[in-house]
Amino acid sequence: MALGRALGGALIMGVALGAGTAVGPVLAGGLGLTGFAARLVPATLVSAMAVPLAVVALRRRGGSLRDIGFGGPVGNLRALCVGAGVTCGAAAIVLGVATAAGLLSWSRPDLPKLAGFLVANGVIALLLEALPEETTLRGHTWTALRGRFGGVVSALGTTAVFLVVPGLSSVVEAGVAPLVGGDAGPVGLAPGGQDPVDYLILLTFFGLMLITARTATRRAPLCVGIGAHLAFLSVNRVVFEGDQRDAGWSVHLSSPDVKLLVPVYLLVATAGFAMWRRLGGGDGASGLETEAGSTASAPFRTLRSSSRFRPRNDSGNNSRANSHSASDSSWRRITTP
């Protein structure tokens, strides 16, 4: 039963992502939308399908969104800030050292344009990627596995399920797009142009980092992962794709190997989340029990966040296509040049 529910999370996310990115551009085109509004349509469709389906699955078992790691408004906001703060802090440390070492050189920032980009990108990334992925995978799937298995098995299982989503969504998109008169991307484990092995390895690291974030605090733990997810996407898109995305700030790499700074700063972020958990997250959390575990209804009362699991690797997944197109299935391409 636990394995079935865990795979259900991947199914929900894969179907929502594939269908949303297939139908969204066609719907946006039919409405005559362009730019940010056109990108917003598929992103909204993905969340509008994934989150309610996850809620339905939870309620069939007598659960709720609190049981998978959401909290009240204040707790959610605070946890979101923890996730974003730790990730941005880790990026600042690593990229700052790299800049001092001459590995990176920065353009002059255009602050109004940068602020506008961060807001627009944040909305799209939240709806297309961070909210639905964290709800279905680090929320629904993790909770299902954690109720039956230990922390290490649950973390590895959740991450393995995460790897299924890109391929599943590409199959769904390929099936749905022709039905609505749209164009589907290639079917495969990785986006076009990406080496499948490298891509899945990086996706594995990223998934493990998000599990560490998800288990970092007791109150609204899932929102820590959402904040980390958003911060990671924003940092990478500004730093490594700033010119392409007209973000108002960008960086020049001294060599292609500097892309390895991405997993390095994620390793630092992982260590930061592990330290936050060890110190109790500043909110009285022991690191042994999530808010969900302490407030859950009967089927969830045994859930505990993993105090034993301390992943040491992580990475990123990111945008696939032109970020300014209506079919911005951007989460599928690693956000490195």
Side-chain angles (χ1 to χ4, degrees):
M1 291 296 291
L3 291 176
R5 292 196 296 268
L7 291 174
L11 180 62
I12 290 170
M13 185 61 210
V15 169
L17 182 64
T21 53
V23 175
V26 176
L27 180 58
L31 294 173
L33 301 177
T34 59
F36 173 75
R39 297 169 58 211
L40 187 61
V41 174
T44 301
L45 286 177
V46 172
S47 278
M49 287 185 282
V51 176
L53 286 173
V55 171
V56 169
L58 284 167
R59 288 181 175 172
R60 289 181 61 186
R61 311 200 304 272
S64 69
L65 288 175
R66 282 186 175 270
D67 297 319
I68 61 171
F70 285 103
V74 175
N76 287 339
L77 180 60
R78 181 183 183 280
L80 197 75
C81 291
V82 170
V86 170
T87 305
C88 289
I93 292 170
V94 173
L95 298 179
V97 170
T99 300
L103 300 178
L104 302 175
S105 57
W106 299 78
S107 68
R108 183 182 298 275
D110 182 333
L111 295 182
K113 183 180 288 188
L114 177 61
F117 173 80
L118 289 174
V119 171
N121 175 75
V123 172
I124 299 298
L126 177 68
L127 295 174
L128 181 67
E129 302 156 276
L131 177 61
E133 283 186 16
E134 297 311 306
T135 301
T136 56
L137 300 174
R138 263 69 61 177
H140 184 279
T141 294
W142 163 265
T143 301
L145 291 175
R146 197 65 184 93
R148 174 67 177 81
F149 303 104
V152 173
V153 172
S154 299
L156 295 177
T158 300
T159 303
V161 168
F162 185 34
L163 303 184
V164 174
V165 172
L168 176 59
S169 68
S170 71
V171 172
V172 173
E173 184 181 358
V176 173
L179 299 178
V180 296
D183 297 321
V187 174
L189 296 175
Q194 294 287 327
D195 179 85
V197 174
D198 291 346
Y199 179 78
L200 292 178
I201 290 173
L202 289 173
L203 207 61
T204 299
F205 294 163
F206 184 52
L208 293 175
M209 185 277 289
L210 289 171
I211 288 291
T212 312
R214 190 253 184 273
T215 60
T217 185
R218 186 179 68 180
R219 295 190 176 93
L222 192 61
C223 289
V224 181
I226 293 174
H229 203 140
L230 282 174
F232 174 76
L233 297 179
S234 297
V235 168
N236 280 16
R237 289 169 184 174
V238 169
V239 173
F240 299 107
E241 297 184 347
D243 285 337
Q244 297 169 244
R245 295 175 177 270
D246 196 24
W249 202 21
S250 62
V251 69
H252 172 72
L253 309 182
S254 62
S255 77
D257 291 341
V258 178
K259 293 183 295 185
L260 293 174
L261 290 173
V262 175
V264 171
Y265 90 68
L266 287 171
L267 285 171
V268 175
T270 300
F273 287 124
M275 183 178 297
W276 191 278
R277 180 178 61 222
R278 183 178 291 275
L279 297 175
D283 62 1
S286 65
L288 298 174
E289 185 173 334
T290 67
E291 183 182 71
S294 62
T295 61
S297 54
F300 296 84
R301 282 179 184 149
T302 61
L303 298 180
R304 294 179 181 273
S305 65
S306 170
S307 60
R308 299 190 297 272
F309 173 61
R310 299 192 182 356
R312 293 177 292 180
N313 294 314
D314 40 41
S315 104
N317 69 346
N318 224 324
S319 62
R320 170 187 76 165
N322 186 337
S323 64
H324 301 292
S325 71
S327 59
D328 185 7
S329 53
S330 56
W331 73 288
R332 292 197 231 172
R333 182 167 60 80
I334 305 301
T335 352
T336 51

